[in-house]
Amino acid sequence: MPASFPQYVTEAITGPLPDPPGVKLKKEGLKAMHPVIFIPGIVTGGLELWEGKQCADGLFRKRLWGGTFGEVYKRPLCWVEHMSLDNETGLDPAGIRTRAVSGLVAADYFAPGYFVWAVLIANLAHIGYEEKNMYMAAYDWRLSFQNTEVRDQTLSRMKSNIELMVSTNGGKKAVIVPHSMGVLYFLHFMKWVEAPAPMGGGGGPDWCAKYIKAVMNIGGPFLGVPKAVAGLFSAEAKDVAVARAIAPGFLDTDIFRLQTLQHVMRMTRTWDSTMSMIPKGGDTIWGGLDWSPEQGYTCSGKKQKNNETRGEESESLVTKTKPVNYGRIISFGKDVAEAHLSEIKNIDFRGAVKGQSIPNNTCRDVWTEYHDMGIGGIKAIAEYKVYTADAVIDLLHYVAPKMMARGSSHFSYGIADDLDDPKYEHPRHWSNPLETKLPNAPEMEIYSLYGVGIPTERSYIYKLNQSPDSCIPFQIYTSAHEEDEDSCLKAGVYNVDGDETVPVLSAGFMCAKAWRGKTRFNPSGIKTYVREYNHSPPANLLEGRGTQSGAHVDIMGNFALIEDIMRVATGGNGSDLGDDQVHSGIFEWSERIDLKL
């Protein structure tokens, strides 16, 4: 079928398609100006093998991650071994070197036909961009941010590449475009590059002001994502949980010797980077047992009205939908998730005695830290009943002490009382925007660009997993479900507005409030903009993943977002784009957060 055929059919049905942003801006006479640096997120960048065990013969410089994933099916256990890091150091296991693919091909497509950066790259090419003024800062996204420098000198490379591109493009400052976890990685970089060597890059206090025009963050999990908690606690988020409920034994057994849940958990728990996305800011940001910033949100998008303005029509709407306690990130049982604060009786798990008596010995083949908890420890966790963002950190320390000990040396989840306290100079604080100051760069701009209008995981209902085959003792209780269209509870997950991965609160709060104007987190008053893109799914199959998507990865093909990035890259600024563009309750929700600015 000729490549133009789908377009021909679509145009016959719906009329001519709008010009892609690259074509549109070229007609306006815009040309490449500022060098553009892409920073991919977790899992979207390719990884290839440079050294391996005997089972990986013939795979030298072949992709283990990304591409066709052929090796997963051919030699699954060998693949898991080569994709895992050392459980003690978080670096390479002995005799294995898996490294990031370099160049634009590292993350233009994740798999054949599944674009990540390809659409943005193609549109920039229309106005004169090529490899000399576009650079993909690929890195091994499994490592903690500081370890990418320790092992691969990735931060040093990024620094020298930005300097080179600025000097070879007539001194025009760079526009940085990080996506997803790349947003946190670049926050870390901005602190690293100005910090003195050997811990930092030694660029001096004015490096960012000198080299960066704008940071255009796409789908940034600035304050973490609840999804990371479900992933680390039970190796599942919504999609895995549903599959597990449909075929209880299938994902928990090794029938096909395929990557079943505990292999996935063993592998992903060696990736320190996953701990960068644990929710930050505790109950102050995410809410407590009886409040949350998003209180009153309904999933149909209709707003619950205040008592005074409630008409008869909305009266029925509000009484039908139970208010959601989003601050309770994990509740054991639907009754606990909905209970009044006075009815919740926690039994503290922190002192519970762990033991070796886990019922299923076959689990020992695939070691996860649950084996060391014993039945007493597992019961104590369920009896604590409900966990807010503060308690979730303690919970993860209890169920996965080794993983969290490694993670805590690289990441931190609090809010700084005094940002001038020397302890915040340690690299573990650099990717937490609530424990660091932005650089002194008053002319720089920071954008938060993200999708809205898609139900996004915010809190979970759990149950103990009684299956005799299972090695993971907790699972999302998918039978907790409400059919009512306004209800946010679907298959054991309470949803809120977001891009399907990152809730609005995490993506928007820093640019909407904590960095807005001169604050203690933004002492030089860098201008910030919130640009939201309302999700509109593709109208038909021929549109592929759509040109107006707000979904976490598909937004990379969103024409409006691409146009915004291109206008800034060709010399524009936030006011040229029309300042903020907001569809969600982000400003209202941010006001409810009582944070010292």
Side-chain angles (χ1 to χ4, degrees):
M1 192 164 75
S4 59
F5 185 69
Q7 185 174 343
Y8 168 77
V9 175
T10 306
E11 289 189 8
I13 299 166
T14 60
L17 297 172
D19 278 339
V23 174
K24 178 180 168 184
L25 270 55
K26 190 178 182 179
K27 285 178 183 169
E28 286 181 26
L30 293 178
K31 289 190 172 74
M33 184 184 284
H34 294 272
V36 178
I37 318 290
F38 309 120
I39 308 202
I42 193 168
V43 311
T44 50
L47 299 174
E48 60 188 19
L49 187 69
W50 280 78
E51 180 188 355
K53 301 282 176 73
Q54 204 175 341
C55 69
D57 276 355
L59 294 181
F60 176 64
R61 294 204 59 213
K62 295 269 193 305
R63 284 202 186 199
L64 291 187
W65 188 270
T68 60
F69 280 97
E71 296 314 313
V72 184
Y73 306 107
K74 287 185 207 152
R75 23 188 155 180
L77 294 175
C78 181
W79 179 80
V80 163
E81 187 182 3
H82 287 77
M83 278 300 299
S84 299
L85 293 165
D86 183 279
N87 215 1
E88 305 289 328
T89 63
L91 295 164
D92 291 329
I96 293 176
R97 283 183 295 147
T98 300
R99 296 290 180 265
V101 176
S102 60
L104 294 177
V105 293
D108 52 356
Y109 288 92
F110 174 61
Y114 190 90
F115 69 80
V116 183
W117 295 88
V119 182
L120 178 57
I121 291 169
N123 277 283
L124 284 163
H126 271 294
I127 57 168
Y129 279 91
E130 51 191 274
E131 293 238 14
K132 68 180 182 187
N133 48 13
M134 256 195 305
Y135 162 65
M136 180 76 70
Y139 59 100
D140 186 338
W141 44 260
R142 301 170 303 159
L143 298 171
S144 75
F145 302 157
Q146 194 66 3
N147 272 347
T148 63
E149 176 65 15
V150 170
R151 195 194 75 182
D152 301 336
Q153 294 75 55
T154 313
L155 298 170
S156 295
R157 255 172 247 273
M158 205 191 314
K159 174 178 184 274
S160 47
N161 271 306
I162 292 172
E163 290 168 353
L164 175 69
M165 291 181 91
V166 169
S167 70
T168 54
N169 281 278
K172 299 259 186 315
K173 295 182 195 178
V175 171
I176 315 292
V177 188
H179 172 239
S180 189
M181 189 183 81
V183 165
L184 303 178
Y185 189 55
F186 195 73
L187 279 180
H188 183 95
F189 172 84
M190 287 195 292
K191 297 303 288 183
W192 172 87
V193 74
E194 295 194 340
M199 203 66 110
D206 60 348
W207 192 93
C208 292
K210 209 154 124 192
Y211 290 103
I212 300 173
K213 168 182 163 58
V215 186
M216 305 195 77
N217 301 292
I218 305 174
F222 288 100
L223 302 175
V225 287
K227 211 173 188 171
V229 175
L232 294 168
F233 184 50
S234 62
E236 61 188 338
K238 190 166 52 186
D239 29 16
V240 176
V242 172
R244 207 172 169 183
I246 296 165
F250 173 70
L251 279 171
D252 284 326
T253 54
D254 246 358
I255 312 170
F256 300 111
R257 303 302 291 163
L258 275 176
Q259 279 37 41
T260 48
L261 275 185
Q262 54 273 31
H263 283 300
V264 169
M265 177 177 267
R266 181 185 65 170
M267 174 176 78
T268 54
R269 279 194 173 183
T270 67
W271 300 348
D272 288 349
S273 61
T274 55
M275 288 175 277
S276 69
M277 294 194 285
I278 292 170
K280 303 178 176 78
D283 296 7
T284 304
I285 300 288
W286 295 92
L289 290 173
D290 59 349
W291 81 277
S292 69
E294 303 102 326
Q295 242 160 348
Y297 174 76
T298 63
C299 284
S300 63
K302 301 172 199 155
K303 281 209 175 143
Q304 290 188 359
K305 305 250 174 71
N306 294 332
N307 291 340
E308 312 85 79
T309 57
R310 232 186 245 167
E312 283 175 29
E313 177 189 15
S314 56
E315 180 77 63
S316 62
L317 166 76
V318 177
T319 45
K320 225 174 29 178
T321 313
K322 297 188 186 93
V324 180
N325 300 304
Y326 286 119
R328 304 177 189 184
I329 291 182
I330 288 179
S331 305
F332 275 87
K334 184 168 184 268
D335 52 333
V336 175
E338 294 172 351
H340 187 269
L341 185 60
S342 61
E343 294 164 24
I344 297 173
K345 303 278 181 280
N346 304 62
I347 299 170
D348 202 351
F349 63 95
R350 294 170 186 87
V353 178
K354 297 184 177 186
Q356 291 295 332
S357 53
I358 192 132
N360 184 353
N361 282 321
T362 57
C363 292
R364 299 216 162 269
D365 301 345
V366 184
W367 182 88
T368 60
E369 293 191 61
Y370 288 126
H371 307 155
D372 302 335
M373 281 175 56
I375 293 166
I378 289 165
K379 244 179 83 179
I381 282 168
E383 283 174 353
Y384 190 71
K385 292 194 175 56
V386 59
Y387 296 82
T388 61
D390 282 340
V392 155
I393 308 287
D394 293 338
L395 171 68
L396 292 172
H397 272 287
Y398 185 82
V399 298
K402 279 193 173 169
M403 173 188 84
M404 289 299 285
R406 271 196 344 262
S408 306
S409 62
H410 293 291
F411 302 108
S412 175
Y413 311 105
I415 299 174
D417 286 331
D418 173 13
L419 287 162
D420 294 319
D421 187 324
K423 75 175 181 187
Y424 293 113
E425 288 164 18
H426 189 283
R428 74 194 199 95
H429 301 285
W430 291 348
S431 60
N432 180 350
L434 300 171
E435 294 182 330
T436 47
K437 294 178 192 175
L438 286 176
N440 181 16
E443 288 171 19
M444 194 171 110
E445 294 182 321
I446 296 184
Y447 296 78
S448 193
L449 317 171
Y450 55 92
V452 294
I454 308 180
T456 302
E457 299 176 37
R458 175 67 166 84
S459 55
Y460 302 88
I461 296 178
Y462 266 85
K463 65 171 189 172
L464 281 175
N465 185 358
Q466 308 291 4
S467 160
D469 296 326
S470 178
C471 302
I472 298 174
F474 313 105
Q475 72 179 84
I476 293 173
Y477 183 37
T478 50
S479 306
H481 191 82
E482 283 173 7
E483 292 303 332
D484 171 14
E485 66 151 331
D486 294 322
S487 170
C488 294
L489 177 61
K490 301 290 180 233
V493 179
Y494 285 107
N495 293 297
V496 76
D497 198 2
D499 69 0
E500 208 169 21
T501 296
V502 183
V504 162
L505 193 65
S506 180
F509 175 75
M510 292 310 296
C511 283
K513 182 173 181 181
W515 286 337
R516 190 54 64 111
K518 277 192 181 184
T519 69
R520 66 192 186 106
F521 303 104
N522 179 12
S524 69
I526 292 170
K527 278 207 168 71
T528 63
Y529 300 96
V530 175
R531 305 274 299 164
E532 296 182 342
Y533 305 86
N534 217 352
H535 175 67
S536 175
N540 54 53
L541 283 174
L542 297 171
E543 269 193 29
R545 285 152 63 203
T547 57
Q548 300 174 58
S549 177
H552 188 64
V553 176
D554 294 357
I555 197 171
M556 306 289 279
N558 182 304
F559 280 8
L561 172 126
I562 291 172
E563 185 176 324
D564 284 352
I565 291 170
M566 292 179 72
R567 288 196 183 280
V568 172
T570 52
N573 59 31
S575 47
D576 296 330
L577 303 184
D579 299 311
D580 297 323
Q581 169 181 289
V582 173
H583 304 284
S584 75
I586 183 60
F587 284 107
E588 185 189 334
W589 298 340
S590 297
E591 278 315 305
R592 293 177 188 165
I593 292 172
D594 184 19
L595 180 69
K596 186 177 96 191
L597 299 176

